[in-house]
Every structure is written in C-alpha cells, then in structure tokens.
Amino acid sequence: KRIQAMREQLICLISGEAAARQLKSQLYAVDPIRVFNDRLDEPRIKVVSKDIEQTHINLGFPGLSRGHKDRFILALAQVILGGNMSSRLFNEVREKKGLAYEIGAHAKKLKESGVFFVHAGVDNKNLDDALLHKLAAVGTAQEIEFRGRVIFKELVRIKKELVPAAELKRAKDFLTAQTVMALDDSMEHMLWIGDSLTNLDTMMTKEEVCRHINRVSAKDIQRLVREVISGPKLRFAAIGPKASEQESEIRKLVADLD
C-alpha cells in the first residue's frame, strides 16, 4: 500500500513562544513528503565499516500491521525464533556457540505496516562463524554446510520444518503469560485499551487474545514465515570493522532463504 504523508497530518508540540513562531513558519514552507518506495522485488544490503568493539547486524523483512488477522501467528514465530532465552537463535548463537553478546527476533507492528527483524551484536572475530563462512567440521555434508551460517540456518529451518508440538506449547504459554501479566497492570491496561480503540477501532479482552494465540497451529506458522522470510524482501544492514569485507558472501546466502 502506497502512503503519502502530508504536513497536514503532522502533529508538532513545541514549548516556548519564540521557538513556536519560528518553527511554525518553517513547517508551512516544507513540501509534502515523498511517496514511500515499497518495491520488494530484490534484497537490499547495506554494510558500513567502522572501528567499533562489536559488529551489529540486522536482517529485516516487511511484517504485519497491528490489525492483521495473522498477527498472533507472527508473534509466536517471533517468540520461537528469538523472543526469549529459550528461543532458537539465543540457544544456537549465544548459549551453544558463544558468538554474540545479544541476539533476538522482533515483530514491530504499525497501523498499516510492520517489520519482522533479527538483530545481533556479534564479537568482531565471530562475525564469520555467526553468519557467513562454511567451517571445517566433522559430520554430514549438511552439517558442514550450515555450521557457520547459524543465523541464516535458523531462518531457513523455521520455513522448512514444522515447529514441534512441545516447542509450540512453550511459546504459547510464554506469550499468553506475558499478555496476562502485562494487562494486570492498570497503566498498561489503560494504554492497551486506548491503542486498540484508536488504531483498531475495536478491543479484545485478554481472554480473547489468549484464545487467538492458542488456536495457532504449526502449519499456520510455517505458512506465514514462508511469506514473510523471503530473499527478495530481505533488508540487511551491518556495521563493524569487517562488515564491508563480507558483502559478497552475504549476497550469496540470500538465495538460501527461498
């Protein structure tokens, strides 16, 4: 959906009479913001070399809006992939291999759009192991192929394999508990009601939310992640001392997502 933001839709709050007069004249001189380019026919990769202590990487895909019918499915996929300390990415990248200080998957939902992304803060010396190179290893050809592609491997895995029943139940228990606990707080409950009425024009009870979560099946998750996690939709960014050296290798890995 193509959305054009105009200055008439902008709400600007200013404190101070002189500053208000000055900024008001500047705002009315601004041209309408350009139409957002929403082409998703090829991946986009941006790498920046910078002398910092760790390399930050972000793999993003267009997600779902706040009111999308599949939003509960995506929420569970996010929990399974990287939503807590029992998630696949946390276990594989941080706990088992010690390749990252932080790792997680996130689903951000806006009124008419959203984003699903994986972020990691990786020790500079571990960038290759966490993301890129095939390492020599003892095992099957497939194990050798993916041993050094931990993050991409997990993205491919959740698309190809159904989530086991026990793992799905743990994710549902976690998500429903988080929902119920959050809405037990009066302030959070108030903000949730306001957000629901403002952006969705409706409001679910926490019992209804829990029912939607518990109705999600492993096939639902596989269907949705196959739509969301797609090579042409990938937006990849990395910043760190070795980032630019790996750009060609990153582009080769994108094909594995399809």
Side-chain angles (χ1 to χ4, degrees):
K1 186 172 182 180
R2 297 172 69 84
I3 304 169
Q4 185 170 19
M6 307 294 288
R7 61 173 174 259
E8 288 79 6
Q9 297 172 297
L10 177 67
I11 299 174
C12 184
L13 305 178
I14 311 162
S15 178
E17 185 178 354
R21 286 199 302 267
Q22 180 182 2
L23 190 54
K24 184 177 179 181
S25 63
Q26 294 174 348
L27 286 173
Y28 277 96
V30 174
D31 291 329
I33 299 172
R34 293 182 180 179
V35 175
F36 175 68
N37 183 356
D38 57 357
R39 286 181 56 203
L40 296 171
D41 53 359
E42 62 181 12
R44 296 182 186 178
I45 298 171
K46 178 69 174 180
V47 293
V48 177
S49 287
K50 188 174 182 179
D51 187 17
I52 53 179
E53 292 184 356
Q54 60 179 318
T55 298
H56 293 274
I57 58 177
N58 192 302
L59 299 85
F61 305 88
L64 305 178
S65 65
R66 288 181 179 176
H68 197 284
K69 62 181 178 62
D70 288 338
R71 63 189 183 277
F72 300 105
I73 303 175
L74 188 62
L76 283 168
Q78 177 255 328
V79 170
I80 292 166
L81 191 60
N84 57 32
M85 290 189 290
S86 298
S87 66
R88 294 179 176 186
L89 285 172
F90 191 90
N91 276 318
E92 291 295 323
V93 178
R94 180 179 167 123
E95 294 298 296
K96 292 183 179 179
K97 297 180 173 63
L99 299 177
Y101 294 111
E102 59 173 321
I103 179 79
H106 310 270
K108 302 296 184 183
K109 300 183 291 295
L110 303 176
K111 187 170 184 179
E112 295 184 347
S113 62
V115 61
F116 182 76
F117 66 96
V118 173
H119 169 262
V122 182
D123 191 305
N124 295 324
K125 69 178 183 296
N126 291 331
L127 176 61
D128 295 350
D129 296 352
L131 190 64
L132 298 171
H133 287 319
K134 303 173 187 178
L135 304 179
V138 176
T140 66
Q142 186 177 19
E143 288 171 346
I144 295 171
E145 174 78 8
F146 283 128
R147 185 178 175 87
R149 299 178 170 190
V150 186
I151 296 174
F152 271 86
K153 182 195 75 171
E154 292 303 329
L155 294 177
V156 172
R157 178 185 166 203
I158 199 169
K159 292 179 62 175
K160 289 187 174 181
E161 301 175 7
L162 289 174
V163 176
E167 186 178 17
L168 180 56
K169 184 181 185 303
R170 287 196 302 270
K172 289 179 177 181
D173 290 344
F174 174 83
L175 191 56
T176 53
Q178 290 288 100
T179 301
V180 172
M181 290 175 64
L183 294 181
D184 279 343
D185 180 86
S186 297
M187 177 67 76
E188 289 297 324
H189 203 165
M190 178 194 71
L191 294 173
W192 179 69
I193 292 172
D195 177 72
S196 297
L197 294 176
T198 302
N199 293 297
L200 304 177
D201 197 29
T202 186
M203 188 187 72
M204 288 185 183
T205 65
K206 57 186 175 184
E207 291 79 15
E208 288 175 315
V209 171
C210 291
R211 282 198 295 271
H212 278 283
I213 292 170
N214 286 317
R215 279 201 292 261
V216 174
S217 69
K219 289 186 177 180
D220 291 330
I221 292 175
Q222 186 179 58
R223 169 185 60 80
L224 185 63
V225 296
R226 284 177 173 177
E227 295 174 9
V228 173
I229 301 174
S230 167
K233 297 178 181 180
L234 173 66
R235 301 296 181 259
F236 180 96
I239 181 168
K242 298 171 64 178
S244 61
E245 301 172 14
Q246 310 296 353
E247 183 171 358
S248 61
E249 293 293 333
I250 292 167
R251 293 185 181 278
K252 293 176 184 177
L253 288 178
V254 172
D256 289 342
L257 295 179
D258 291 322

